[in-house]
Amino acid sequence: MLLDYLFFQNALLGALLASLLCAMVGTYVVTRRLVIAGGGVAHASLGGVGLGAYFGFSPLLGAAGFALFSGFAIEALSHRSVREDSAIAMLWTLGMSVGILAAYLTPGFMTDLPLYLFGDILSITRTDLLLTGALTLLTGLIFASLLPAIVAVAYDRDFARTQGLPVRWIEIGMTALTALTIVACLRLVGIVMVVSLLSVPQATAQLFVRTFRSIIFVSFVAALAACLGGLWLSYVLNVPCGAAIILLSIGGYFLCRTIKSLWTRFLYH
């Protein structure tokens, strides 16, 4: 039976943790309209992957460092008379360029580069689960204790500032959590597609609910369903799991959108 295999048990637990983590952080990202910035950070993290391979330390550790650097650099540049889209483009292409050059210069090249680009949930290890679990727990505790302040900053940072909230510190903290969440999900869907986990389930949730808490819950369910469905498709059809997860997530969004439209027409006609 498939559930008897340790790698599949790890994949299921990884999908659960990643779905919960992305539901919390992704709701903030979508509400603040930072999806493109998240995509920039995700692609820039390739620089850390390449440097890790070239200098002989963990590529995931390098990705985390480069993702944090990119996230803070984008925010700093956008506060210093640099257009945010320009800042994202600079850090996005810087990270990709560094990563490609470092991978090319690595002796023997990086044979596992596709793993970081496109992900492979079935390769998740116990160490990956422990790190993702710790990040999920930390994020959950932060959201549980600071949710009103996070919501205020997410919807209207200027209003939050008038209320005496530490807007700058909250933004810095959420930037760090976003960068680390992206790195934690690299094994799941890879650099190329990780931003979808931070945005598509939330878009699906917003079709039916409006409050911040409700979006977190519904997007968690949507993300978990896509992850489990992608695992099943990967097993049955022998296709890459990361791509299957994203296709199901986006397909689920359009299916829900169609169902809502038909239901609305039925009610008002």
Side-chain angles (χ1 to χ4, degrees):
M1 188 175 178
L2 195 59
L3 286 174
D4 292 333
Y5 293 102
L6 180 61
F7 73 89
F8 196 77
Q9 296 172 8
N10 289 344
L12 288 176
L13 185 54
L16 176 66
L17 292 173
S19 297
L20 181 56
L21 182 59
C22 288
M24 292 184 287
V25 176
T27 300
Y28 173 83
V29 169
V30 169
T31 304
R32 276 291 310 274
R33 299 182 179 181
L34 296 174
V35 175
I36 300 302
V41 171
H43 285 77
S45 67
L46 181 63
V49 172
L51 290 176
Y54 182 75
F55 289 107
F57 58 87
S58 169
L60 280 180
L61 180 61
F66 221 94
L68 287 168
F69 163 74
S70 301
F72 291 135
I74 289 171
E75 187 168 330
L77 287 173
S78 62
H79 281 85
R80 288 171 171 78
S81 302
V82 178
R83 284 171 54 101
E84 187 177 45
D85 56 349
S86 298
I88 293 169
M90 281 190 282
L91 272 300
W92 182 319
T93 51
L94 172 66
M96 294 289 287
S97 300
V98 170
I100 292 170
L101 287 175
Y104 180 81
L105 294 173
T106 299
F109 199 66
M110 282 186 65
T111 56
D112 58 348
L113 184 60
L115 173 66
Y116 297 99
L117 289 175
F118 308 112
D120 183 6
I121 191 173
L122 297 177
S123 70
I124 288 178
T125 64
R126 186 65 64 179
T127 301
D128 295 326
L129 291 177
L130 290 174
L131 292 174
T132 305
L135 180 59
T136 303
L137 178 61
L138 173 63
T139 303
L141 291 173
I142 291 173
F143 269 68
S145 58
L146 299 175
L147 188 61
I150 292 173
V151 171
V153 173
Y155 281 105
D156 191 338
R157 62 197 300 272
D158 292 328
F159 172 77
R161 186 174 286 110
T162 64
Q163 301 304 303
L165 294 175
V167 173
R168 185 63 178 153
W169 286 108
I170 291 174
E171 289 180 333
I172 290 173
M174 292 306 302
T175 297
L177 285 180
T178 301
L180 294 176
T181 296
I182 287 170
V183 174
C185 294
L186 291 187
R187 290 276 193 181
L188 194 67
V189 294
I191 289 170
V192 174
M193 294 176 286
V194 67
V195 71
S196 289
L197 281 184
L198 291 172
S199 56
V200 178
Q202 285 73 19
T204 303
Q206 288 177 329
L207 292 172
F208 305 104
V209 295
R210 286 290 178 267
T211 66
F212 200 91
R213 291 176 186 269
S214 299
I215 294 173
I216 290 176
F217 175 76
V218 177
S219 61
F220 164 65
V221 174
L224 184 59
C227 288
L228 296 180
L231 267 174
W232 180 78
L233 278 181
S234 177
Y235 171 71
V236 172
L237 302 178
N238 193 27
V239 296
C241 190
I245 289 172
I246 299 306
L247 282 176
L248 284 179
S249 181
I250 295 174
Y253 167 78
F254 283 107
L255 177 62
C256 290
R257 190 180 183 91
T258 301
I259 291 173
K260 181 183 178 182
S261 178
L262 292 175
W263 180 251
T264 302
R265 291 184 182 181
F266 174 78
L267 286 179
Y268 292 98
H269 286 85

